[in-house]
Amino acid sequence: MALIVQKFGGTSMGSIERIRDFVAKRILEEKEKGNQVVVVVSAMAGETDRLINLVKSITPEPNERDMDFVVSTGEQVSAGLLSITLNHVGHPAIALSGWQAGIKTDRAFTKARILEIDTSRILKHLKEGKIVIITGFQGITEEGDITTLGRGGSDTSAVALAAALKADRCDIYTDVDGVYTADPRIVPEARRIPVLSYEEMLELASLGAKVLQIRSVEFAMKYKVPLRVRSTFTGDEGTLIKEEDETMERVVVRGIAHNKNEARITVVKVPDKPGIAAKLFDALAEANIPVDMIVQNVSVDGYTDISFTVDKNDAAKAEKITKQVADEIGAREVIRDDKIAKVSIVGLGMRSHAGVAGKVFETLAKYGINIIMISTSEIKISCVIDEKFTELAVRVLHEAFELDKEESERVKPV
Ligand code: ASP
Ligand code: MG
């Protein structure tokens, strides 16, 4: 008998009909195989936004404990509705809120981290033969206050529970049938990726493929929980995300991600001497602004330019801070550009296969797409380009690396 954790997102839980016709069906399929099932649910689609808007209509800066008190309720409703549905058709189930399920977090309201899970109550109900349904997204502090885990946090609840329960698998059911080689709305030929490594998924997720909350993938990697992203509506196999194995490096490029949510800030004519970059990036860190790419030009006559990218939401604040620092250090000016996009290709095989970067640059050049910034890691190459070329860049790179072909046709010797 296996123990399976299933997580259902907001669209899957979106109506009573969907809960009855699809969610309950997926749960019972697993149950009928003789497995124990723990289910983690999101709030019904749109509900968390609705609750946040209610709060924000009172004040833009609510007390965060109150905020979590309100927004955590969406998950309680959907967990209860699912339990009622299952019990109604004769399948014993029990709904548990975060605190009832023993999910303990720190006190970072609205973005809390799970510290530990006391699984005793869950195990007790599983032993009784029940389907245990747990609210995603929420936990409890040592003092007994309700917290939430940040937007998309139910993924992390599910993975953390799977790790704590030593589940055999964690299935993330959603409205897409897996992780794709590129956004299928941009590239109709994009293919479902059958298997990928945690590292590749982390890169794809942080580069803008919004299938899973990044923290949930980090958690899965740390505790080696195999994850499957699959569709509630088809029940197909989906995409398996697991530990890397020897065969995975044979596919050079696994997928392409894009992100239009960054802005670039350039400090022009900065005196080129020690301590300048430290001053600027310390000031940004102080203001809690994460910086993504950083590029510094070659120095000419003792001056240089520094460019970096930040999330668009932080761009105004980052620009203001940068201008202050620029004045102090005697830089000429600060330019902000919100009309950029980052296009990235990801694949474990880049470690052992040469020529990938060259092919990316050549392909973009062929279509007249100028590269504004470049950054690389062992398993990815990212280019910042003009936002208006995003879709074109994704399409031509997808074609150049033949991602429309089956992986088995693209296998290269290591
Ligand atoms: N309901 C929460 C949200 O909308 C958590 C989740 O769905 O994962 O962000
Ligand atoms: Mg989600």
Side-chain angles (χ1 to χ4, degrees):
M1 179 169 57
L3 171 58
I4 311 291
V5 173
Q6 298 182 320
K7 181 254 168 180
F8 293 91
T11 317
S12 310
M13 297 297 293
S15 68
I16 299 295
E17 290 73 30
R18 285 185 175 178
I19 292 175
R20 186 192 58 211
D21 299 341
F22 296 103
V23 175
K25 186 167 165 206
R26 299 291 161 242
I27 295 170
L28 296 176
E29 275 167 8
E30 211 57 74
K31 207 50 192 147
E32 272 150 26
K33 287 183 202 154
N35 294 329
Q36 291 183 321
V37 187
V38 171
V39 182
V40 175
V41 293
S42 284
M44 297 171 93
E47 183 60 13
T48 306
D49 286 333
R50 190 184 72 85
L51 295 167
I52 291 172
N53 288 336
L54 280 178
V55 173
K56 295 264 162 100
S57 72
I58 308 171
T59 164
E61 279 171 60
N63 165 316
E64 291 186 325
R65 182 188 179 278
D66 289 343
M67 180 78 167
D68 279 356
F69 198 86
V70 175
V71 302
S72 60
T73 58
E75 272 68 14
Q76 192 167 330
V77 172
S78 55
L81 292 174
L82 177 56
S83 179
I84 292 168
T85 305
L86 289 167
N87 281 309
H88 177 67
V89 290
H91 295 278
I94 182 161
L96 300 176
S97 65
W99 69 268
Q100 291 173 324
I103 303 176
K104 301 188 178 142
T105 75
D106 61 16
R107 291 188 62 79
F109 293 105
T110 76
K111 47 182 174 308
R113 284 183 176 266
I114 296 175
L115 300 175
E116 62 171 319
I117 301 181
D118 174 356
T119 54
S120 48
R121 182 150 184 206
I122 303 172
L123 293 172
K124 178 181 137 232
H125 293 307
L126 285 174
K127 237 193 194 141
E128 294 162 357
K130 288 189 177 139
I131 297 162
V132 183
I133 301 158
I134 301 170
T135 52
F137 187 47
Q138 54 166 271
I140 191 96
T141 67
E142 215 187 313
E143 296 79 10
D145 292 319
I146 296 171
T147 52
T148 66
L149 310 180
R151 296 309 303 268
S154 298
D155 294 339
T156 301
S157 307
V159 176
L161 281 160
L165 292 162
K166 300 194 173 53
D168 295 274
R169 212 174 62 228
C170 182
D171 284 349
I172 307 282
Y173 281 96
T174 175
D175 50 357
V176 293
D177 65 351
V179 181
Y180 274 70
T181 50
D183 185 338
R185 285 168 300 186
I186 296 179
V187 188
E189 301 80 23
R191 274 178 179 273
R192 186 176 52 79
I193 303 172
V195 185
L196 76 169
S197 68
Y198 295 122
E199 264 179 298
E200 288 170 315
M201 188 63 227
L202 269 182
E203 289 288 3
L204 288 170
S206 60
L207 296 171
K210 296 180 210 69
V211 208
L212 286 171
Q213 197 197 34
I214 290 171
R215 211 188 265 176
S216 72
V217 187
E218 288 167 353
F219 223 107
M221 179 154 116
K222 186 162 165 201
Y223 294 101
K224 302 188 169 60
V225 179
L227 285 184
R228 211 176 251 292
V229 175
R230 57 203 305 189
S231 159
T232 308
F233 305 106
T234 66
D236 288 347
E237 291 226 310
T239 295
L240 178 64
I241 305 156
K242 65 180 202 58
E243 260 191 298
E244 179 181 343
D245 65 40
E246 328 76 61
T247 63
M248 283 184 175
E249 257 192 37
R250 286 195 220 138
V251 175
V252 183
V253 177
R254 193 81 60 191
I256 302 179
H258 68 280
N259 183 351
K260 293 185 181 179
N261 278 323
E262 285 187 16
R264 178 175 63 130
I265 294 177
T266 305
V267 198
V268 183
K269 224 172 167 203
V270 185
D272 192 10
K273 54 183 190 212
I276 296 279
K279 203 165 195 165
L280 173 60
F281 294 107
D282 279 350
L284 292 165
E286 193 88 357
N288 247 321
I289 299 177
V291 173
D292 182 20
M293 288 190 191
I294 302 175
V295 171
Q296 179 175 327
N297 282 347
V298 178
S299 168
V300 182
D301 299 333
Y303 291 96
T304 180
D305 296 343
I306 299 178
S307 290
F308 58 93
T309 62
V310 294
D311 197 275
K312 259 185 199 156
N313 291 322
D314 292 329
K317 201 161 139 201
E319 184 184 19
K320 199 168 136 209
I321 292 168
T322 307
K323 278 192 169 146
Q324 282 162 2
V325 178
D327 279 345
E328 279 171 41
I329 61 181
R332 187 199 282 160
E333 63 173 324
V334 173
I335 303 168
R336 169 175 152 201
D337 185 357
D338 281 5
K339 296 227 167 318
I340 58 156
K342 183 168 75 174
V343 174
S344 315
I345 64 166
V346 174
L348 286 179
M350 281 183 217
R351 283 189 205 137
S352 44
H353 296 90
V356 182
K359 189 159 175 178
V360 171
F361 306 150
E362 217 174 85
T363 306
L364 295 177
K366 191 168 136 200
Y367 289 87
I369 302 170
N370 187 37
I371 301 169
I372 304 170
M373 292 167 99
I374 300 168
S375 91
T376 61
S377 80
E378 252 197 323
I379 66 162
K380 74 141 201 249
I381 297 166
S382 298
C383 296
V384 170
I385 58 171
D386 188 331
E387 189 184 61
K388 68 172 183 261
F389 294 129
T390 315
E391 285 76 14
L392 177 64
V394 173
R395 256 182 239 127
V396 297
L397 289 170
H398 200 271
E399 198 186 324
F401 287 98
E402 302 183 313
L403 298 188
D404 55 324
K405 288 197 184 148
E406 288 247 22
E407 275 195 357
S408 57
E409 291 176 51
R410 293 190 276 118
V411 168
K412 301 249 166 47
V414 180

